[in-house]
Amino acid sequence: MKQSLLLRFLDLLRCPGCGGNLNVQTFTPNELDVIEGVLTCDCGHWYPIENGIPRLFIPGPLRPSDAEFITKWGSKLSDNIRSLDIKAQSSSDVQVQKTFGHKWTKQHWWGIEGKTAQFMEEWLLPRYGWKNKVNYEKYFSEEKVCLDAGCGLGREALRMASANSRSLVIGLELSECVDEAARHAREKKANNVFFIQADLTRPPLKQGSVDFIISEGVLHHTPDTKVAFMALVPLLAKNGEFGFYVYRKKAPLREYADDYIREQIAHLEPEDAWRSLESLTKLGKNLSELKVSVSIEEDIPLLDIKAGNYDIQRLIYYTMFKCFWNADFTFDENVHINYDWYTPRFAWRHTENEIRDWLKENGLLLAHENIEDAGITVRAKKV
């Protein structure tokens, strides 16, 4: 009989409250997974396992209500667990959690299938220093423990799991879309990847246990990018690598407009925010279809606009406000990109010097760096 995924990964899990070891009680195990159960710590914290996914939040606004779980399994739970009551609260963290839960469950295929998957592979691999899929798989040819921190639908977790079936891969996700990630893994029969729902600023994992961490476009959606980065660094084993992508500071008009738009929609329910960005997406489409080129004869330092020839949509996109459009995507897949940028309450932008300072301060050696107008991608090694 095969060992369940949870038991294979249990030694890596830690209590996010105190960092202690966790004990598992299973309710409905089978040979491949533990569908329901509970994790407990000697400090008193406990964490439900639902749909095979440990929900590793300490009591607070990010932790969903445990009422249904307690009602369902009350007869199997100890008295102190049955008496725990978590009340719903509101916070900016919760807004981000809801935003991404909506985004990924609304388009559960984005980046996993079709044109968006091809787009992400062609854009992502070279940014991290892998010229192509062959180069990527060579990098992961040695057995590793890998973490996808902020995994969304599990795209990068599944990519790493596929590259080497002997590796153990953990996908950590803040939002409810972690269930979609687990579903993708089951459909792909990826038996070396395990998903947890948790806050990456309190990663419930053993320090020094991870050989490779990727956090693709996630750290800047936390309350403090640097704090989130520093929370993950201790997880690295010696010579382990941390790859991440963060937004880069933009031209001043773009910075102002983006913050203004974000402030207008951040209070909306996710679906209302989505609809509000449809008109902006249509504008991006219309501008793109103009096929008009604009020539900037000399640098405009006041606006941080460089001399050169620009497509009108690209000029506006990079220097005034984001209005993404890719003709290979469906309309809703394009809305998805604009929603991702504007809707989260947190979307910090940084400079390359900031990132280099963070690496130095935390004992990481820069192994690869890619700087684009949109963002900064690095891989750094723990030495």
Side-chain angles (χ1 to χ4, degrees):
M1 180 179 293
K2 293 182 179 179
Q3 189 181 39
S4 71
L5 277 175
L6 176 61
L7 295 180
R8 287 178 66 195
F9 284 85
L10 183 61
D11 184 55
L12 297 173
L13 299 182
R14 292 293 183 269
C15 172
C18 73
N21 293 335
L22 293 170
N23 305 302
V24 62
Q25 179 186 0
T26 62
F27 303 151
T28 57
N30 64 34
E31 64 179 26
L32 293 180
D33 207 348
V34 175
I35 304 303
E36 304 283 337
V38 65
L39 292 165
T40 59
C41 180
D42 290 344
C43 74
H45 285 308
W46 67 273
Y47 309 97
I49 306 167
E50 299 176 280
N51 193 30
I53 300 169
R55 316 292 172 155
L56 291 157
F57 295 114
I58 61 171
L62 290 173
R63 180 163 171 156
S65 172
D66 296 311
E68 186 176 338
F69 179 85
I70 291 171
T71 299
K72 183 177 181 179
W73 298 111
S75 63
K76 295 180 178 289
L77 299 172
S78 62
D79 291 339
N80 64 317
I81 291 179
R82 285 203 299 269
S83 65
L84 183 61
D85 180 29
I86 305 299
K87 295 181 179 179
Q89 300 179 46
S90 176
S91 74
S92 294
D93 291 42
V94 172
Q95 191 269 352
V96 172
Q97 186 181 47
K98 289 174 62 177
T99 291
F100 284 101
H102 181 78
K103 165 187 151 177
W104 292 123
T105 54
K106 186 178 179 72
Q107 294 193 351
H108 54 80
W109 67 88
W110 208 105
I112 303 289
E113 303 168 2
K115 292 286 188 179
T116 59
Q118 180 183 346
F119 170 83
M120 285 306 302
E121 181 172 309
E122 293 174 354
W123 182 54
L124 184 143
L125 296 192
R127 283 194 289 110
Y128 283 94
W130 303 304
K131 295 179 180 179
N132 50 43
K133 189 175 180 180
V134 172
N135 194 238
Y136 175 88
E137 291 180 346
K138 182 179 180 181
Y139 178 88
F140 285 98
S141 60
E142 294 185 8
E143 185 176 339
K144 298 178 186 290
V145 174
C146 304
L147 170 65
D148 183 359
C151 67
L153 295 175
R155 183 191 66 238
E156 298 313 312
L158 291 169
R159 198 191 308 278
M160 292 187 290
S162 175
N164 189 338
S165 62
R166 294 176 293 113
S167 289
L168 295 179
V169 181
I170 300 169
L172 182 157
E173 170 58 30
L174 181 72
S175 79
E176 63 184 324
C177 75
V178 70
D179 291 274
E180 287 292 330
R183 181 180 65 80
H184 285 302
R186 288 193 294 270
E187 289 177 352
K188 295 178 181 292
K189 299 185 179 353
N191 295 325
N192 61 328
V193 61
F194 181 67
F195 292 96
I196 58 177
Q197 189 177 8
D199 177 2
L200 68 77
T201 67
R202 301 181 72 106
L205 296 167
K206 181 180 178 181
Q207 293 192 1
S209 66
V210 181
D211 300 303
F212 183 79
I213 301 172
I214 189 167
S215 190
E216 165 62 15
V218 179
L219 300 177
H220 47 230
H221 290 310
T222 64
D224 187 309
T225 311
K226 183 179 179 181
V227 168
F229 164 78
M230 292 176 63
L232 293 171
V233 170
L235 303 181
L236 285 173
K238 186 176 181 180
N239 297 319
E241 286 198 355
F242 190 171
F244 61 93
Y245 169 82
V246 294
Y247 294 142
R248 191 182 183 208
K249 279 191 178 291
K250 309 295 191 289
L253 290 179
R254 169 79 192 260
E255 286 282 321
Y256 172 80
D258 285 354
D259 283 342
Y260 174 81
I261 295 170
R262 185 171 293 108
E263 188 61 32
Q264 301 309 302
I265 65 176
H267 68 283
L268 298 176
E269 288 298 311
E271 184 59 25
D272 293 332
W274 183 281
R275 285 196 295 267
S276 74
L277 290 164
E278 291 177 347
S279 58
L280 187 144
T281 305
K282 289 175 184 175
L283 175 59
K285 177 178 184 290
N286 294 338
L287 288 170
S288 181
E289 291 173 347
L290 288 175
K291 306 296 184 186
V292 170
S293 179
V294 176
S295 179
I296 307 294
E297 295 181 355
E298 60 182 86
D299 290 353
I300 310 174
L302 289 172
L303 299 177
D304 197 16
I305 298 175
K306 306 297 183 184
N309 293 317
Y310 297 86
D311 175 87
I312 185 66
Q313 191 267 346
R314 294 282 90 186
L315 177 64
I316 292 173
Y317 178 95
Y318 281 119
T319 66
M320 300 177 196
F321 57 89
K322 181 162 184 166
C323 50
F324 182 88
W325 181 258
N326 184 324
D328 290 335
F329 297 174
T330 67
F331 179 75
D332 276 349
E333 287 171 344
N334 280 283
V335 176
H336 174 110
I337 297 288
N338 291 316
Y339 174 94
D340 173 88
W341 172 255
Y342 285 116
T343 309
R345 171 68 69 180
F346 306 122
W348 309 114
R349 284 83 75 189
H350 300 281
T351 67
E352 45 268 42
N353 286 334
E354 277 184 276
I355 305 306
R356 292 166 189 160
D357 286 344
W358 298 354
L359 301 181
K360 189 179 300 184
E361 291 167 12
N362 288 273
L364 300 183
L365 183 65
L366 184 64
H368 176 81
E369 181 182 63
N370 178 272
I371 300 171
E372 302 175 325
D373 289 333
I376 302 162
T377 309
V378 303
R379 276 198 355 252
K381 178 178 287 190
K382 182 177 181 179
V383 292

